[in-house]
Amino acid sequence: MKTIYGLTGLVLVSLLLFTCKKTPKTLTSDEAYPMHWPENFDPPLIPADNALTTARVALGKRLFFDPILSRDSTVSCNTCHKQEFAFADDLPISPGVEDRLGFRNAPSLANVAWLGVVNRDGGVVKLDLQASVPIEDENEMDFTLLEAADRLNKHPRYVQLCQEAYGRPADPFVITRALGAFQRTLISNNSPYDHYVFQQKTDALTESQIKGMQLFFSEKASCSNCHSGFNLTNNKFENNGLHENYDADTGRRRVTLKPEDEGKFRVPSLRNVALTAPYMHDGTRQTLESVIEHYNSGGSNHPLKNPLIRPLALSPEEKTDLIHFLESLTDSTFILNSEYHNN
């Protein structure tokens, strides 16, 4: 969910690791969730203590859409991660309880099953712990996992669902693992780009999109040096020269405390990128055109900027072709998939 936290979040995650070592009891319902991983993707690593079952995914989905996890019951995971925006948001910074604002843009949740460390700065060690951050952040849900669990255990339906999914009442383990289970089902791999490259449908892309794709993977633009692989990201942390000063948010340095990590953020997947504006970790780029112009200009002069970020001298036609290619990464079936609807 929305990644607004500092060292406090790391402490919370450490506490969660300590309090959640208890092994789940025998499940009441352990029917395997009918998951079909894309053939052209690497297989994701599913934790042994959180195998995907129908009951766990159903519980996680219910929790994802339920504002019950926020202090005033006004904010849910879905508040900041909407399906029509590829489970991102259309605001630079999504408001939390009482309309409080943090300082980071909500990223897309598409294909998070393939993340190792999680969040824009990698401050959470695995997806199954990530929910602790927004729930316990004062600018997001402003609750605690223990308070949330106590609230859930007062609802008979949640008591039943938790027992069916994990064989125990609601607790921090159940809440975070169920949300992780549901998020692993958010798969996007059916864009025109996928049809063209992996299904070899030669008419899936327009002439301009093909030119843009060729430019994207060329040495001239060098986009694919960072946006590579089946998910169009190398999942590394880079300083892309967005700002000359990162005092407002030092990025990965907040996690590692290393000066050399200042201004470094996870390279995002570009899948569905046309749907996830505004862009960058702080939502300061409103359009794809402004993003292209940032990279075309070579970015700021920050000393830690990745040396691949340099003036590109792209022509107006090349910029247009690049944007058309990025639009070909939109997976309409993903944003319309009824399996993800709140029902």
Side-chain angles (χ1 to χ4, degrees):
M1 294 155 218
K2 195 173 52 168
T3 56
I4 300 173
Y5 70 101
L7 295 178
T8 302
L10 296 179
V11 173
L12 291 171
V13 170
S14 297
L15 289 173
L16 186 58
L17 281 167
F18 177 77
T19 59
C20 293
K21 289 181 179 179
K22 182 179 178 182
T23 302
K25 299 176 183 177
T26 302
L27 302 180
T28 303
S29 177
D30 59 359
E31 177 186 354
Y33 185 77
M35 197 72 221
H36 302 288
W37 305 109
E39 292 182 0
N40 55 296
F41 284 23
D42 296 333
L45 179 63
I46 307 298
D49 64 359
N50 200 21
L52 291 185
T53 69
T54 299
R56 291 174 177 181
V57 172
L59 173 60
K61 178 180 176 180
R62 186 182 181 104
L63 289 172
F64 186 88
F65 288 98
D66 196 339
I68 197 172
L69 297 179
S70 63
R71 180 167 298 281
D72 60 3
S73 296
T74 63
V75 176
S76 69
C77 305
N78 179 243
T79 300
C80 302
H81 299 279
K82 303 177 179 70
Q83 185 174 0
E84 62 265 36
F85 305 124
F87 290 97
D89 202 357
D90 62 342
L91 300 173
I93 307 294
S94 306
V97 298
E98 299 179 353
D99 290 328
R100 299 173 195 165
L101 295 178
F103 57 97
R104 287 200 183 148
N105 176 257
S108 169
L109 298 181
N111 299 338
V112 291
W114 283 269
L115 290 181
V117 293
V118 187
N119 287 357
R120 289 191 183 271
D121 55 21
V124 179
V125 297
K126 62 180 179 178
L127 180 63
D128 286 338
L129 298 178
Q130 196 277 336
S132 65
V133 174
I135 292 173
E136 302 208 350
D137 190 290
E138 64 179 0
N139 292 318
E140 299 195 55
M141 297 182 176
D142 192 32
F143 219 17
T144 70
L145 285 164
L146 291 175
E147 288 173 311
D150 182 62
R151 182 182 286 177
L152 292 176
N153 284 324
K154 293 177 181 177
H155 290 259
R157 181 56 176 157
Y158 270 119
V159 171
Q160 177 187 358
L161 290 173
C162 291
Q163 287 289 345
E164 290 176 354
Y166 292 96
R168 56 204 276 182
D171 60 16
F173 184 101
V174 169
I175 294 170
T176 56
R177 268 56 179 195
L179 284 167
F182 170 64
Q183 290 178 80
R184 286 192 175 92
T185 70
L186 303 179
I187 308 301
S188 179
N189 72 317
N190 196 35
S191 68
Y193 166 76
D194 292 297
H195 296 170
Y196 184 87
V197 173
F198 300 112
Q199 299 177 23
Q200 298 182 341
K201 295 182 179 179
T202 56
D203 60 347
L205 299 184
T206 67
E207 181 179 353
S208 178
Q209 288 171 335
I210 293 172
K211 288 180 180 178
M213 181 180 67
Q214 292 169 342
L215 180 61
F216 182 93
F217 289 101
S218 72
E219 286 300 314
K220 179 177 182 178
S222 298
C223 307
S224 60
N225 282 298
C226 294
H227 296 284
S228 57
F230 61 86
N231 212 24
L232 295 169
T233 174
N234 59 12
N235 280 323
K236 294 181 179 180
F237 299 91
E238 302 288 356
N239 182 319
N240 71 349
L242 181 61
H243 301 301
E244 290 189 5
N245 185 304
Y246 288 91
D247 288 346
D249 185 354
T250 60
R252 186 150 176 76
R253 183 175 180 175
R254 292 171 60 85
V255 176
T256 67
L257 305 182
K258 296 179 179 179
E260 61 267 30
D261 284 335
E262 181 171 313
K264 292 185 177 180
F265 296 87
R266 179 194 305 282
V267 175
S269 169
L270 294 185
R271 287 185 171 275
N272 301 294
V273 68
L275 303 175
T276 62
Y279 304 103
M280 306 299 184
H281 69 274
D282 53 6
T284 53
R285 294 294 183 271
Q286 296 294 319
T287 64
L288 285 176
E289 287 81 0
S290 65
V291 172
I292 296 298
E293 195 51 52
H294 164 73
Y295 289 110
N296 189 48
S297 71
S300 73
N301 293 319
H302 194 279
L304 295 175
K305 179 181 69 174
N306 187 311
L308 289 172
I309 310 298
R310 68 198 191 285
L312 301 177
L314 298 178
S315 69
E317 181 182 357
E318 287 175 322
K319 294 177 189 177
T320 298
D321 290 339
L322 264 181
I323 290 171
H324 288 167
F325 168 64
L326 294 175
E327 291 171 346
S328 80
L329 304 177
T330 298
D331 178 357
S332 59
T333 60
F334 178 64
I335 62 172
L336 297 174
N337 190 338
S338 61
E339 290 294 319
Y340 307 144
H341 292 178
N342 181 23
N343 48 30

